[in-house]
Amino acid sequence: MSSWLDYTINGLIVGNVYALVAVGLALIFGVSRLINFAQGSIYLVGAYIGWVAVVQLHTPLPLTIIVVAVAAAVVGLIIERFGLRPLQNSVRIAPLLATIGISFVLDQLVMLTFSPNPRALPSQLPDIRFQVGGGTIGPLDLLIAGVGLTSALLLFVFLRYTKLGWAVRATAQDRDAAMQMGVDVNRVNQAVFGIAAALGGVSGLLVGMYYNQIDTAMSLQATLKGVVAEVVGGAGNVPGAVIGSLLLGLVESYGVAMLGTSYRNLFAFLLLVVVLVLRPNGLFVSARQAPPEPLTGTFIAPSRPVHIPRWALLVAVAGFAILPLFPVSFYVLQTLINAWLLGMLALSLTLVAGTMGQVSLGHAALLAIGAYTSALLSLTLAVPVGLAVIGGGLMSAALGTLLISPSFRLRGHYVSIATLAIGEIVALVILNWESVTRGPIGISGIPPLSLFGYDLIGPTSIYWFSLAVMVVLALLQGRLLTSHLGRSFRAIRDDDIAARAYGLGLNRYKSLAFIFGGFAAGISGGIAAHLYSYINHETFNTQQSILALTVVILGGLGNVVGAILGSVALVGLPEVFRIAAEYRILIYGIVLLLLVRFRPQGLLGTV
Amino acid sequence: MSNPIGTRIADLINTEWMEREMSNIDRRSLVKGSLATMMAGAAFSRAAFAQSSEPILLGVSGPLTGPNAQYGTQWKQGFDLALDEIQAAGGINGRKLAYQFEDSQSDPRQSVAIAQKFVSDPRIVMELGDFSSPASMAASPIYQRGGLVQFGFTNSHPDFTKGGDFMWSTSVSQADEQPLLASYAVKRLGLKKLAVLHLNTDWGRTSRDYFVKAAKEYGAEIAVTEGYIAEERDFRSTLVRVRDANPDGLILISYYSDGALIARQARQVGLKQTMCAASSVYSPKFLELGGEAVENVHLGTRYFPEDPRPEVKKFIAGFKAKYGGQEPDAFNAYSYDAMNMAAAVLKIGGTDRRAIRDAFAKVKDVSSVIFGQATFDVESRRVKGAMNAELVVRKGQFALWDGKPT
């Protein structure tokens, strides 16, 4: 029984750590309705500034904390002023993409300055341990808890009892009305970003000291866990974020206790999905409160899509089709194969996210389902590869739709967070369900692509095959968009209440969109599996989902040609920037930011 | 099968691919067949070397950005040190050796594009890498069909060299390494009931299986095994599970950063058992990140600081001189060895891609930090017989274990 006490204590200790990030995220979400993907990067910056202060400048702890808080706040202010404020009148989705771009840039800057090697960040507190249960806690645990609780409390008081706090809450409720009442909305945003960034920086410092270790890969993980904790507590609810974090820590700890370490994150993401399904606004938001997402389709603002004449598309397709007949290198062909595969995924996502308005952040799961199905069908059941790939598509359509269906009742950002969690759950099931997926060892020796008994192994043949599949899927989707089905999808996206009043069954149409989208993504995953010959649980990761969303937003939501153009751009750009070696992801991030800044509705516009 | 149009297209495609490939082969294949022609060919290419001032180029596919970027940077250090020594010794038969490092982020999408880039680039004679199994093994079919050697020196996945006869690896096979660790833990340290914590990757999982098998053979009991993902930082609850299993030793199949985290947290939750770690924690970073908590941690390694072997002395001294006193770690040693092996292979194989593949079977007793003398087993295309040293952390330093219990 004493073990349960230890599991509880350990859960609270790690929940404590999550709370530091979650509070910052909650604050920003509360005001800007924005999941700040750059929060993890500020955390990273804070940790490294702390390292410079502690190891190079030998500052005492209080001074270190102040230095880190101020420096991180400055970073936050810069992000707000130059990254996000220019976007405040554009599409709601643009700032989300901007924060992803900013996190690329910040992570890369830290990596280039400090090298990616992990560093020790020694704690400056005395090494006293207090015996609690079977284990011990140190002064740093208490400091982290203190900082988490105090900041949550201070923020609570600030929001409730100060004039600027009122302004912040007024802005959160209705930005336009707040402006009319004379609230300086920009100043409010600045204050919020400054505070959240300072908190993020300090949490990076403290967590770095806690583990005596900082490295440049810590940012994405911090964001993920922070987002989960924040949403469990109720997005935008600061005290809720603290409680959500502790709950997350406890659930993970008990999960480890029951089933073992490799199930830990499974419990974390299941908690998130359960909370979202049962209490979509989080555990600590009263049901009477107005939903934090807009009621109608302002999440994805319509814009005038760029009209591309049919003959131009024909010329482009014909041009790409005859490309291998010219003396282009296989490297170019291989890069384009990657673009076509990503294009299929983007077609899928642009349908569900753009046309249907369900912005999915877990789309890599559909790839993985298709890839594993196709690989296992062809390897264990000796199904011909062509049929196995189609089987992968069908499985992805069926299973993907089934898995994502709990998120159908959600709106806006909540859909993204739920699908993010579902994507992680699929990856973790693949890791743990060893009898079927072979776990971390992965599946090797997957046979190459073949059609009618002939192997497609040369880059040229794979190129033609993937191009043809993608074009067929694109044509089908184009046809779908102009049919009554496409119009119904857009009607639900633009105003689901009006659509329902008109007699459209929301869940049925959402399912249809995911079935079609799942099929395209599954086919892409299936082809990839046979192309690579080896896959494991890491092949289709969260970064793929984020990349797919970036492609779709870049191309223009719902825009079929845009999705393909976006794929070519986002596969091509990092290859073009190869010449810049370590700097290429930095340049890529900057280009992404500039594109969002000047073309927030996407290259070809929303359809 | 009975579809005439499909057949024709497939035929057309395959022939076209074959033709393109054949022209490459004809252009490049100078040496083949009997020993006599090989000698003649080698002499010929040696003459060609002397005339060319262009360096011989190796392609490296590995992570320089992304979550595994630290390993790519460590590779570079080892490569550069080896190259300095190779150039100083006159290069490859008078020609300089150089490498082109392409960042893959250990992402299979990028590693396949890089593979195609290297295969299409006639200057590249051999490829080294990638780091992770998904990235490396996704690229293998392209290297195999393109006829370019993929020399994976950190690829311990048992199926890596099964990708084809162009896949060679100097990665220490876990089938070799783990029984050594098990023998250290069970026979030498006398541990009887073990808790195994392992990275839940293909490497960690394979290692765990070999370790458990060997440890059981030596008579130990496995109390619990726990796999954790690479991003994990909090191990306290895992360690409570370990504690409840009541083992007398902890086995860490970890890299240095997670190994250090586990050691620290084990001490925090009050575990005092002996810890024994895989050689991948062998890094000055392990000591730095683990601090006092890694004191008395045992580890099996392939070399150690006071190793009297001349190749190790040369490596450590050279590394410290080049990188401002920094101690080299396991990944530095792997890449240093890999570059030296590449040079040895090129000295025999010249610059022809197929001859280079054949040369892997011919190199004998290449001086190596990891293996002492490295010779490939032609069947498995791997090197057997890694060196073994039993170390322990004493006073914040790696030291040869003196046989005293801790």
Side-chain angles (χ1 to χ4, degrees):
Chain A
M1 226 42 233
S2 73
S3 300
W4 287 99
L5 176 66
D6 289 332
Y7 285 121
T8 308
I9 293 165
N10 293 336
L12 293 175
I13 287 175
V14 72
N16 221 352
V17 168
Y18 296 150
L20 288 178
V21 181
V23 167
L25 282 167
L27 191 60
I28 290 180
F29 192 91
V31 179
S32 330
R33 298 279 172 254
L34 172 69
I35 305 170
N36 182 14
F37 273 91
Q39 188 72 8
S41 304
I42 294 172
Y43 167 91
L44 181 69
V45 170
Y48 275 85
I49 293 172
W51 181 83
V52 171
V54 172
V55 176
Q56 309 270 334
L57 307 175
H58 308 288
T59 51
L61 185 63
L63 187 60
T64 313
I65 291 179
I66 293 170
V67 167
V68 168
V70 170
V74 170
V75 175
L77 292 179
I78 294 173
I79 292 175
E80 194 277 330
R81 178 65 191 83
F82 299 102
L84 299 175
R85 199 183 299 175
L87 296 173
Q88 64 188 4
N89 290 322
S90 68
V91 208
R92 297 278 313 263
I93 198 91
L96 183 75
L97 189 54
T99 60
I100 294 176
I102 290 166
S103 82
F104 275 156
V105 171
L106 284 180
D107 288 359
Q108 288 304 312
L109 283 177
V110 171
M111 190 181 276
L112 290 168
T113 319
F114 292 97
S115 97
N117 279 321
R119 284 161 196 261
L121 180 55
S123 161
Q124 293 174 304
L125 287 167
D127 192 21
I128 321 162
R129 311 289 314 175
F130 310 103
Q131 187 77 27
V132 179
T136 59
I137 60 170
L140 202 50
D141 291 305
L142 301 177
L143 180 64
I144 289 176
V147 170
L149 290 173
T150 320
S151 55
L153 196 68
L154 280 180
L155 284 171
F156 186 73
V157 172
F158 164 74
L159 290 174
R160 195 135 291 212
Y161 300 108
T162 66
K163 213 167 176 192
L164 187 58
W166 294 345
V168 168
R169 286 196 296 149
T171 314
Q173 278 176 9
D174 191 332
R175 194 168 155 268
D176 293 333
M179 270 166 84
Q180 282 170 352
M181 295 308 289
V183 173
D184 185 347
V185 175
N186 286 335
R187 206 171 122 246
V188 166
N189 270 336
Q190 246 171 7
V192 163
F193 263 86
I195 296 171
L199 208 55
V202 172
S203 54
L205 169 76
L206 293 179
V207 175
M209 283 185 173
Y210 184 68
Y211 291 124
N212 188 35
Q213 184 167 334
I214 55 174
D215 64 60
T216 46
M218 64 200 256
S219 112
L220 179 67
Q221 211 55 28
T223 312
L224 277 183
K225 285 289 166 73
V227 167
V228 174
E230 185 224 348
V231 175
V232 167
N237 179 341
V238 171
V242 174
I243 299 173
S245 304
L246 296 177
L247 191 61
L248 174 65
L250 283 176
V251 166
E252 286 187 2
S253 186
Y254 292 145
V256 170
M258 284 187 289
L259 288 177
T261 311
S262 57
Y263 291 90
R264 172 189 190 130
N265 283 356
L266 200 57
F267 279 91
F269 290 110
L270 279 175
L271 169 72
L272 179 66
V273 172
V274 168
V275 167
L276 278 178
V277 168
L278 298 182
R279 289 189 67 93
N281 290 337
L283 289 177
F284 306 105
V285 174
S286 67
R288 275 175 291 126
Q289 206 165 327
E293 285 295 331
L295 276 174
T296 52
T298 44
F299 190 61
I300 295 159
S303 70
R304 185 191 293 269
V306 176
H307 179 71
I308 300 174
R310 188 164 290 190
W311 62 264
L313 287 177
L314 275 174
V315 169
V317 170
F320 278 116
I322 59 170
L323 186 70
L325 302 177
F326 294 96
V328 291
S329 79
F330 286 159
Y331 165 55
V332 173
L333 293 187
Q334 184 65 49
T335 306
L336 284 170
I337 291 171
N338 287 348
W340 305 146
L341 290 178
L342 182 60
M344 292 173 213
L345 180 67
L347 282 175
S348 156
L349 187 56
T350 210
L351 180 71
V352 299
T355 310
M356 193 72 230
Q358 306 283 300
V359 178
S360 157
L361 262 176
H363 239 55
L366 298 175
L367 281 181
I369 294 172
Y372 271 88
T373 308
S374 185
L376 290 172
L377 281 178
S378 60
L379 268 179
T380 55
L381 300 179
V383 174
V385 172
L387 289 178
V389 169
I390 293 173
L394 293 175
M395 180 61 99
S396 196
L399 197 57
T401 310
L402 191 70
L403 288 172
I404 289 170
S405 59
S407 76
F408 285 170
R409 51 180 294 190
L410 303 175
R411 287 203 174 102
H413 279 102
Y414 292 93
V415 177
S416 314
I417 297 166
T419 47
L420 177 78
I422 293 163
E424 294 292 318
I425 289 171
V426 169
L428 288 163
V429 167
I430 289 174
L431 176 63
N432 284 308
W433 194 9
E434 291 188 8
S435 56
V436 172
T437 61
R438 304 182 197 177
I441 306 283
I443 301 177
S444 60
I446 304 169
L449 285 171
S450 70
L451 215 53
F452 309 114
Y454 284 85
D455 286 350
L456 308 179
I457 52 170
T460 319
S461 50
I462 298 172
Y463 174 90
W464 273 327
F465 176 71
S466 50
L467 177 65
V469 172
M470 187 197 66
V471 169
V472 168
L473 287 171
L475 287 174
L476 278 174
Q477 192 159 324
R479 183 79 191 76
L480 181 83
L481 292 186
T482 51
S483 72
H484 93 94
L485 212 51
R487 284 194 297 278
S488 309
F489 286 167
R490 285 195 294 273
I492 292 171
R493 172 190 74 187
D494 290 340
D495 192 334
D496 59 353
I497 292 175
R500 204 163 51 193
Y502 195 68
L504 295 177
L506 301 189
N507 287 353
R508 194 180 300 171
Y509 282 94
K510 285 179 182 174
S511 302
L512 278 174
F514 271 99
I515 287 170
F516 191 89
F519 183 72
I523 294 272
S524 171
I527 296 175
H530 294 284
L531 187 64
Y532 299 158
S533 84
Y534 173 76
I535 52 173
N536 77 0
H537 66 287
E538 291 169 324
T539 308
F540 308 100
N541 53 17
T542 320
Q543 275 99 324
Q544 288 309 308
S545 300
I546 295 174
L547 177 68
L549 186 61
T550 320
V551 165
V552 167
I553 299 173
L554 184 69
L557 282 158
N559 195 318
V560 169
V561 183
I564 295 166
L565 184 70
S567 303
V568 174
L570 290 197
V571 169
L573 286 179
E575 294 295 329
V576 172
F577 297 143
R578 274 206 178 282
I579 196 145
E582 287 99 322
Y583 295 89
R584 73 191 179 103
I585 302 300
L586 179 66
I587 299 173
Y588 171 72
I590 293 172
V591 169
L592 200 63
L593 278 178
L594 291 175
L595 280 169
V596 179
R597 169 73 184 80
F598 294 106
R599 251 343 266 163
Q601 72 277 44
L603 290 171
L604 298 184
T606 311
V607 176
Chain B
M1 239 88 9
S2 59
N3 183 330
I5 298 172
T7 312
R8 212 169 304 145
I9 291 173
D11 267 342
L12 199 92
I13 292 164
N14 284 340
T15 346
E16 180 247 10
W17 155 251
M18 285 306 286
E19 270 168 11
R20 232 185 252 191
E21 242 340 86
M22 285 311 284
S23 68
N24 282 349
I25 296 161
D26 289 341
R27 203 167 53 238
R28 292 193 199 105
S29 80
L30 300 167
V31 271
K32 228 175 200 177
S34 73
L35 190 70
T37 49
M38 196 207 77
M39 294 304 279
F44 174 81
S45 19
R46 215 162 278 163
F49 285 153
Q51 288 156 7
S52 172
S53 58
E54 286 283 302
I56 301 175
L57 202 55
L58 304 171
V60 181
S61 166
L64 286 179
T65 59
N68 291 321
Q70 45 178 308
Y71 303 106
T73 4
Q74 281 157 346
W75 283 10
K76 268 191 161 178
Q77 290 180 321
F79 288 154
D80 290 342
L81 175 63
L83 279 182
D84 285 353
E85 294 172 10
I86 293 163
Q87 300 331 1
I92 309 296
N93 305 328
R95 242 178 110 177
K96 279 199 163 153
L97 184 61
Y99 66 89
Q100 180 180 336
F101 203 129
E102 293 292 356
D103 172 28
S104 67
Q105 301 190 304
S106 269
D107 168 14
R109 276 153 215 82
Q110 300 186 46
S111 71
V112 294
I114 292 168
Q116 210 57 263
K117 185 183 174 105
F118 286 155
V119 168
S120 321
D121 185 343
R123 295 173 307 151
I124 305 281
V125 298
M126 184 204 301
E127 189 269 350
L128 285 83
D130 202 284
F131 177 74
S132 74
S133 291
S136 312
M137 289 164 70
S140 295
I142 294 174
Y143 290 117
Q144 178 65 24
R145 288 170 205 141
L148 181 65
V149 165
Q150 183 185 24
F151 177 25
F153 56 95
T154 55
N155 299 98
S156 60
H157 194 292
D159 290 345
F160 172 73
T161 53
K162 293 179 189 158
D165 60 350
F166 279 88
M167 275 78 237
W168 295 80
S169 177
T170 48
S171 168
V172 180
S173 162
Q174 293 311 308
D176 286 350
E177 169 168 353
Q178 294 306 326
L180 294 173
L181 184 65
S183 145
Y184 188 12
V186 180
K187 287 186 174 167
R188 305 262 289 146
L189 292 168
L191 304 175
K192 290 288 168 243
K193 194 174 177 193
L194 302 172
V196 182
L197 289 100
H198 65 94
L199 259 175
N200 212 355
T201 60
D202 57 287
W203 170 80
R205 193 46 212 278
T206 316
S207 303
R208 182 198 90 178
D209 291 347
Y210 283 120
F211 179 88
V212 166
K213 186 164 165 276
K216 281 183 178 160
E217 270 171 28
Y218 298 147
E221 180 193 343
I222 305 297
V224 64
T225 68
E226 290 288 325
Y228 59 90
I229 58 167
E231 293 84 14
E232 198 63 83
R233 286 179 165 248
D234 172 65
F235 296 95
R236 292 182 64 124
S237 295
T238 304
L239 290 164
V240 174
R241 259 179 98 82
V242 167
R243 186 195 69 196
D244 289 353
N246 201 18
D248 59 4
L250 267 64
I251 306 298
L252 311 184
I253 297 179
S254 311
Y255 286 177
Y256 51 79
S257 49
D258 33 308
L261 284 172
I262 295 174
R264 281 176 66 88
Q265 292 174 30
R267 298 312 181 213
Q268 285 176 6
V269 303
L271 289 178
K272 304 210 164 37
Q273 281 90 338
T274 307
M275 281 190 256
C276 198
S279 66
S280 36
V281 305
Y282 181 65
S283 164
K285 286 280 174 197
F286 182 65
L287 305 174
E288 186 190 336
L289 300 172
E292 284 173 16
V294 297
E295 191 71 13
N296 295 330
V297 171
H298 295 262
L299 63 157
T301 60
R302 313 284 75 89
Y303 71 98
F304 60 97
E306 281 80 40
D307 206 325
R309 287 190 284 141
E311 61 272 11
V312 177
K313 282 187 162 167
K314 185 176 154 202
F315 168 60
I316 294 177
F319 197 91
K320 281 184 165 173
K322 189 172 168 71
Y323 300 108
Q326 191 192 332
E327 291 271 355
D329 69 9
F331 288 94
N332 294 135
Y334 296 149
S335 60
Y336 173 81
D337 267 7
M339 188 54 79
N340 282 327
M341 175 58 82
V345 168
L346 293 179
K347 279 181 186 157
I348 297 177
T351 55
D352 176 77
R353 289 178 176 185
R354 267 159 212 279
I356 288 171
R357 175 197 60 185
D358 300 338
F360 269 88
K362 293 175 191 137
V363 283
K364 288 250 173 332
D365 299 333
V366 179
S367 159
S368 155
V369 174
I370 304 295
F371 296 98
Q373 309 281 314
T375 304
F376 280 95
D377 170 51
V378 181
E379 277 303 299
S380 64
R381 290 187 289 280
R382 288 186 180 273
V383 181
K384 282 188 180 147
M387 302 300 284
N388 189 39
E390 294 173 342
L391 303 191
V392 64
V393 181
R394 285 276 155 82
K395 299 196 181 75
Q397 297 293 327
F398 292 113
L400 206 57
W401 185 50
D402 45 18
K404 286 182 196 153
T406 43

